[in-house]
Amino acid sequence: DSSSVTCKKLTVIAVLAVLIQVFGLALFVLGFFPVKPALSGFSGVESFYPPGADSAEFQNITNLSDSQLKYLYQELSLVPPLFDRLILMVIDGLPAEFVLGKDGEPPPKSFKEAMPYTQSLLSKGRAIGYHAKAAPPTVTMPRLKAMVSGAVGGFLDVAFNFNTQALLDDNIIVQFLKVGWKLVMHGDDTWLKLFPGMFSRHDGVSSFFVKDTIQVDQNVSRHLVDELSRADWSLLILHYLGLDHVGHLGGRNSVLMVPKLGEMDEVVKMIDLNSSPTNNNDQRRTLLLVVSDHGMTENGNHGGSSFEETDSLALFIGPTNFGSTSGTPNKANQVDLASTLALLFGVPIPKNNVGMLMPETFKSLTVDQQLRLLELNSWQLLRLLEAQLPGLVCENFSCDNFRDDGSERTRGYSSLEETFCCLYMKAADLHRSWKSGEEIRSAGGDNCHSILMAYHNFLRTAKTCWPTYIWSSRYARFMFDTAEPSVSSRKASFL
């Protein structure tokens, strides 16, 4: 009889153990490989209207040609594009600290001396550099998707990195195609798998022959002279793999690293010298954007979330000075590239973008134009929040007692939705008053600075607390409650 009781206990314990294991496995799978919520379709004319605007205003655009749609976007944007063509140069695996330094210190002397032309562009104000933090997993395919869509992927993308599928979500590449851009790509064939049939010319190379540090880059550079002499493309993508391969073979301090950095510097120099406007024609202003998809550890590996692996580069090089007086490196997130590029070139921000514009790249614009771009970015992010958080209906909240003085967290409200709404409505109300002339419109006044701060507070709070891997709004609130304190206290840096 006692043995019978023992068997029952053992059976119960065994069943409970199995259930706990199943629950633990399910929790791990859902947490580590979550299904990312994404909005279907592509952003269009509605991007230039506030959320909730009458859809009848922008329904009759289906018959517009590419050029007509392009000019319509520019008219509705109210901000002329700063550039006409984009050269996106991806240096795979390049840590931003190799170019910009770290913690206020310059890059290692040998690395700095290996890239004299790039360093001269930074010192002259021709270039603006960012430590653009990449989200894990720090492997190529999900990082490219984050750059062009503004959305953060998951660790399930690590598996897809070896069998890349076409990107179906809204992204900046498709937005460029919609306005008639001709696209050219040379380099890592991951681009061809993500965007099949979208490139007019291409020469793809495989990224998995890591012992090749020479030919894999020469296959890209051999097209440079020809492509830079052509005027038939609007976007030229150059994806160099050699530096990443150098890291895999010998780590950060490989004897091949300095020569490879020098080679990349020569490419930057060739592009910059050959892409400047000619014959006083400022209608072909070219932006050279040098980025890296991820960094690398001391041993040259990547994939995780350490600073060395997530420290990616974003270097904006324009035909003239950007108007920024600060030579110190800036900080951003890699997902910020999508919204920044969309606003620089006057196309809609991708629907699932969770990033915000990089303000230093827009300092040459007037205050009116800077505020307009912040408004467009806020509208896009508010639409995404409304779609994913059903309780986010700003008309239902009263924000009369809203406190946002930077002295405490904004968690004193009953819900995350209310906090988002109050931050957004404060920025919108200030901007509306300023546009109507109720406030003194002084570019250097406190009123303008307060509008900039209000928009930045909304965008930064939404970006910081945005539940990238939503299971439910309850999980979103958990993320909000454990976020860094006082995101509202961060100063706006537009002016």
Side-chain angles (χ1 to χ4, degrees), residues 80-123:
L82 287 176
F83 304 97
D84 304 293
R85 299 204 302 176
L86 171 63
I87 299 177
L88 180 61
M89 178 180 175
V90 184
I91 305 178
D92 206 294
L94 174 63
E97 64 179 285
F98 283 16
V99 180
L100 305 176
K102 178 183 177 183
D103 298 331
E105 297 295 326
K109 182 179 179 182
S110 59
F111 292 169
K112 187 174 182 178
E113 292 178 347
M115 307 188 76
Y117 192 81
T118 302
Q119 293 297 332
S120 71
L121 293 174
L122 284 165
S123 63

Side-chain angles (χ1 to χ4, degrees), residues 12-34:
V12 171
I13 292 172
V15 170
L16 287 175
V18 170
L19 291 176
I20 290 172
Q21 286 183 323
V22 170
F23 175 77
L25 180 62
L27 189 64
F28 170 79
V29 170
L30 289 175
F32 207 67
F33 301 110

Side-chain angles (χ1 to χ4, degrees), residues 411-422:
R411 66 163 72 181
Y413 294 87
S414 59
S415 69
L416 180 64
E417 293 89 342
E418 186 173 0
T419 300
F420 285 145
C421 281
C422 289

